[in-house]
Amino acid sequence: MELRQLCALFLFSLPLSSAQRPNIVFIVADDLGWNDVGFRNPDMKTPNIDQLATEGIIFENAYVQPLCSPSRTAFMSGMFPFHAGMQHLVVGPPQAVCVPLNYTFLPQELKKLGYATHMIGKWHLGFCKWECTPTYRGFDTFFGYYNAAEDYFHHNVGRYLDYRDNQLPARNYSGEYSAFTFAQRAVDIIHRHNVSQPLFMYLPYQNVHGPIEVPQKYEDMYPSVRNEGRRKYCGMVSALDEAVGNVTKALKERGLFENTLILFTADNGGPIEVYANNWPLRGGKHTIWEGGTRGTSFMYGAGLQKTRTTYDGMIHAVDWKSTLVSAAGGTPETDIDGMSHWDSIRNGLPSSRTEFIYNIDDFEVPREGHAGIRVGDYKLILGYPGGPDGWHRPMNRTEDDKYEQTVYTEGDEPVHLFNIREDPTEHNDLAQQMPDMVAKLRARFEEYKKTMVPANFPEPDPASDPRKYGDVWSPGWC
Ligand SMILES: *[C@@H]1O[C@H](CO)[C@@H](O)[C@H](O)[C@H]1NC(C)=O
Ligand SMILES: *[C@@H]1O[C@H](CO)[C@@H](O)[C@H](O)[C@H]1NC(C)=O
Ligand SMILES: *[C@@H]1O[C@H](CO)[C@@H](O)[C@H](O)[C@H]1NC(C)=O
Ligand SMILES: *[C@@H]1O[C@H](CO)[C@@H](O)[C@H](O)[C@H]1NC(C)=O
Ligand SMILES: *[C@@H]1O[C@H](CO)[C@@H](O)[C@H](O)[C@H]1NC(C)=O
């Protein structure tokens, strides 16, 4: 080990005082694809994100779940969704579900270390009772929404409002695109923040999830993209980038930037049927192909060594909680699935994670078929991997082209084996050639499966009806 690394480890082992703890900004980009950022795809205009990524450390092997609620479960609790009953699809608005209340969430751990904790954006971890909601699960303040896929201007899910300022419905933001409201709220919090306390901000933006909506000027940044949906989607990415830029600018103005650690990650791969792009990876959101599970992710800032630009160690979404607690100078929990990679990332050492579960989901209908495991370089998929499948460049052939070659393999029950280090794009199925490796990974998968908690995926509950709550999706019915 180099002297510099030893020094870094030694320094790290000293307890941090409250004033020394880094501010932490955890940004989640909803449904952002692997190939939807400027640092991978020169057609994308994301100067703020690119600067943070290229001056920070880009993660080449940071995995997420194939969908929103499961990944966010992992981010907040450090638990694999299949251990929390959160592995099947996402939390629907009328479902009486939330992440089990006996798990502590990341902001609760950071509060123990003296942090002020703020959340702005999308929750999607259940809201049927107040105890499930952000201000009861560790956040001092919350501005945002509980569900998903609402419209960006009126903030409705179905016909009902889903927008909150702490616990109160936020009714007067109609017409304002959420990225502006969210960025402005973050800027206001940064300006008001008492700097004698470390700051934690969780910023799970609405961008760039569907519906495909963006103010015209961002769409106009992409005149050469012929496909209208893709052009708007690109604009949504650039609006997100501007919001990220506004937050970093506020941190600089307040003198907080130098001591801030930023973690940026997608929550799942891009939905290629909704104009996102994961080229050259296979598949997308809803699948356990790499395109659905290898997230665009990087870290920037306080505590990192500036000697390298990428980190290729294996990281899973469950690890961010422990990693950020370590970065904050705390001691990560030992009874959760996640592990800290803080020392490995900042010193460029190998990852201590050697395996993870892509998903274990026994639920039959609708079948997303998620059974997959990674052990070392090998990945085993049992059964239907989810769709769409295939390798796709960004849509741009005609004004409204679709992925006509999207391959759905639903119905067949294959076993797929890939060497992901040699074949990250999953072209070369080794299952026939390497039966021993298939057996080895299958046995490991079965061990994990014994620890599965059945998915909590109940029928819609009529008690959720927002008309009982002034036409607002509200807690209080479970
Ligand atoms: C939370 O409760 C579930 C279900 O009762 C249990 O399986 C799990 O071990 C508990 N987890 C913790 C951290 O207490
Ligand atoms: C909405 O109302 C709140 C509380 O009255 C106020 O602080 C906020 O500035 C208002 N927002 C807009 C966009 O008018
Ligand atoms: C960023 O800040 C500028 C200057 O205040 C503002 O005009 C712009 O709308 C903001 N953009 C976003 C996405 O919040
Ligand atoms: C900031 O926090 C410190 C420590 O808790 C406190 O002494 C100080 O009064 C606070 N400053 C303001 C402006 O609230
Ligand atoms: C989209 O296609 C048009 C027409 O072929 C081409 O001029 C343009 O460069 C393409 N844009 C992107 C971003 O690929």
Side-chain angles (χ1 to χ4, degrees):
M1 192 179 295
E2 291 171 36
L3 185 59
R4 178 175 43 73
Q5 291 172 346
L6 277 171
C7 290
L9 287 174
F10 175 68
L11 284 174
F12 174 65
S13 67
L14 296 175
L16 297 177
S17 75
S18 191
Q20 293 168 321
R21 297 191 196 282
N23 305 300
I24 297 174
V25 178
F26 182 177
I27 301 171
V28 177
D30 202 348
D31 282 6
L32 183 70
W34 181 258
N35 193 37
D36 290 331
V37 282
F39 64 83
R40 293 212 174 91
N41 174 354
D43 291 331
M44 300 304 298
K45 298 184 170 72
T46 55
N48 297 296
I49 289 171
D50 295 350
Q51 186 172 1
L52 294 172
T54 55
E55 292 180 6
I57 295 177
I58 296 167
F59 300 121
E60 298 292 354
N61 290 290
Y63 285 87
V64 283
Q65 296 293 131
L67 287 171
C68 305
S69 300
S71 282
R72 288 154 208 262
T73 298
F75 294 153
M76 288 294 115
S77 70
M79 295 301 289
F80 284 116
F82 78 91
H83 278 152
M86 299 293 292
Q87 66 270 44
H88 187 65
L89 299 180
V90 299
V91 180
Q95 282 181 307
V97 171
C98 74
V99 179
L101 296 172
N102 58 351
Y103 292 113
T104 57
F105 274 16
L106 171 60
Q108 293 173 303
E109 293 299 320
L110 293 175
K111 274 184 88 67
K112 292 180 195 162
L113 300 173
Y115 278 75
T117 58
H118 302 278
M119 166 172 174
I120 302 165
K122 176 189 186 178
W123 182 238
H124 216 183
L125 295 177
F127 69 96
C128 61
K129 57 182 161 197
W130 285 110
E131 288 79 358
C132 299
T133 63
T135 54
Y136 287 74
R137 301 205 80 165
F139 288 104
D140 297 338
T141 73
F142 165 63
F143 188 99
Y145 56 110
Y146 294 143
N147 291 290
E150 64 190 49
D151 77 82
Y152 280 77
F153 292 99
H154 301 293
H155 320 297
N156 289 341
V157 174
R159 294 201 308 282
Y160 307 112
L161 185 72
D162 182 6
Y163 225 40
R164 296 249 159 196
D165 190 345
N166 290 312
Q167 281 157 256
L168 297 176
R171 297 180 189 270
N172 62 348
Y173 293 86
S174 191
E176 189 172 271
Y177 192 68
S178 71
F180 297 114
T181 318
F182 293 167
Q184 190 56 49
R185 177 57 66 116
V187 169
D188 291 346
I189 287 172
I190 290 163
H191 283 290
R192 278 205 313 269
H193 177 65
N194 181 342
V195 296
S196 67
Q197 223 185 343
L199 172 67
F200 171 57
M201 296 185 98
Y202 175 49
L203 302 179
Y205 278 99
Q206 181 168 6
N207 295 62
V208 291
H209 197 292
I212 298 301
E213 295 174 343
V214 73
Q216 187 69 40
K217 72 168 188 174
Y218 299 97
E219 181 181 344
D220 290 346
M221 292 168 71
Y222 294 89
S224 76
V225 179
R226 293 173 67 192
N227 181 292
E228 187 191 354
R230 178 67 187 169
R231 190 165 64 241
K232 285 195 161 76
Y233 179 94
C234 291
M236 293 164 78
V237 176
S238 288
L240 169 69
D241 182 76
E242 191 179 286
V244 170
N246 285 5
V247 172
T248 53
K249 182 160 163 278
L251 288 164
K252 285 175 188 161
E253 285 166 359
R254 195 76 171 85
L256 296 174
F257 192 66
E258 288 304 311
N259 192 33
T260 294
L261 178 67
I262 297 174
L263 168 62
F264 180 101
T265 181
D267 63 337
N268 43 248
I272 55 182
E273 68 286 10
V274 196
Y275 310 107
N277 194 258
N278 305 307
W279 176 265
L281 300 179
R282 181 170 183 175
K285 182 181 181 182
H286 302 282
T287 81
I288 56 172
W289 298 117
E290 295 293 289
T293 53
R294 202 190 279 221
T296 288
S297 181
F298 62 84
M299 245 183 195
Y300 171 90
L304 297 176
Q305 313 279 336
K306 303 262 186 195
T307 54
R308 64 192 67 78
T309 55
T310 60
Y311 181 72
D312 70 357
M314 187 191 291
I315 299 174
H316 189 273
V318 293
D319 299 329
W320 291 128
K321 181 187 186 193
S322 298
T323 301
L324 293 178
V325 166
S326 292
T331 308
E333 298 143 281
T334 51
D335 57 350
I336 59 175
D337 291 324
M339 56 178 76
S340 171
H341 299 298
W342 179 236
D343 284 336
S344 307
I345 291 168
R346 70 203 209 100
N347 297 307
L349 303 172
S351 168
S352 39
R353 177 170 289 288
T354 56
E355 59 183 42
F356 65 89
I357 287 289
Y358 283 86
N359 206 9
I360 306 179
D361 181 1
D362 268 359
F363 227 80
E364 285 299 318
V365 182
R367 200 165 58 107
E368 300 250 323
H370 299 317
I373 186 170
R374 176 76 173 269
V375 179
D377 293 344
Y378 287 93
K379 170 180 183 177
L380 180 73
I381 298 174
L382 295 167
Y384 176 54
D389 189 359
W391 299 267
H392 305 277
R393 294 200 182 262
M395 285 178 197
N396 188 33
R397 200 168 47 81
T398 65
E399 279 166 31
D400 58 357
D401 54 335
K402 296 275 176 227
Y403 290 122
E404 70 287 349
Q405 288 168 0
T406 302
V407 183
Y408 291 86
T409 51
E410 181 145 29
D412 82 43
E413 292 286 338
V415 173
H416 296 290
L417 181 76
F418 299 97
N419 181 327
I420 295 296
R421 186 163 292 276
E422 286 174 9
D423 178 27
T425 57
E426 298 169 292
H427 277 88
N428 188 16
D429 189 344
L430 302 169
Q432 299 300 321
Q433 271 166 261
M434 302 183 75
D436 293 351
M437 189 61 75
V438 169
K440 180 184 156 192
L441 267 67
R442 189 195 287 273
R444 193 78 191 106
F445 179 84
E446 292 301 331
E447 278 176 51
Y448 277 105
K449 192 168 174 181
K450 286 183 201 143
T451 68
M452 182 187 81
V453 172
N456 185 10
F457 199 79
E459 293 297 316
D461 187 338
S464 63
D465 192 339
R467 286 175 294 191
K468 294 191 331 201
Y469 301 96
D471 291 347
V472 185
W473 290 103
S474 299
W477 44 276
C478 73

